[in-house]
């Protein structure tokens, strides 16, 4: 599961970088259709990137010893 999320994370980073490149280096951002393409690339790219950090935090939390169950 984590491997799939890592792949999606890198695809999202690539989409984000392509969107930023198109915005900064081309005239595509001056047209309405170009703005739509750039916004979709950046938006979907960040959306695809977001599950990996959450999954890593959940995995890390599960590996931590539970201090609530231990009687000291």
């Amino acid at each position: 599961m984590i491997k799939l999320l890592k792949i999606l994370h890198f695809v999202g980073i690539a989409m984000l970088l392509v969107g930023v490149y198109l915005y900064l280096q081309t005239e595509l951002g001056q047209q309405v259709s170009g703005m739509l393409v750039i916004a979709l690339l950046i938006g979907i790219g960040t959306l695809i990137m977001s599950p990996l950090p959450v999954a890593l935090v959940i995995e890390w939390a599960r590996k931590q010893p539970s201090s609530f169950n231990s009687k000291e």
Side-chain angles (χ1 to χ4, degrees), residues 37-67:
V37 168
I38 292 169
L40 283 172
L41 280 170
I42 292 173
I44 293 174
T46 54
L47 186 66
I48 290 174
M49 285 175 24
S50 61
L52 180 64
V54 174
L56 290 176
V57 167
I58 291 172
E59 183 179 316
W60 171 79
R62 286 184 181 164
K63 290 181 181 178
Q64 296 301 311
S66 179
S67 62

Side-chain angles (χ1 to χ4, degrees), residues 14-30:
M15 290 176 70
L16 177 66
L17 292 176
V18 168
V20 170
Y21 171 79
L22 289 175
Y23 177 70
L24 295 176
Q25 301 296 326
T26 65
E27 296 295 323
L28 196 61
Q30 302 297 321

Side-chain angles (χ1 to χ4, degrees), residues 6-20:
K6 284 183 183 179
I7 293 169
L8 287 175
H9 189 78
F10 288 119
V11 169
I13 289 174
M15 290 176 70
L16 177 66
L17 292 176
V18 168
V20 170

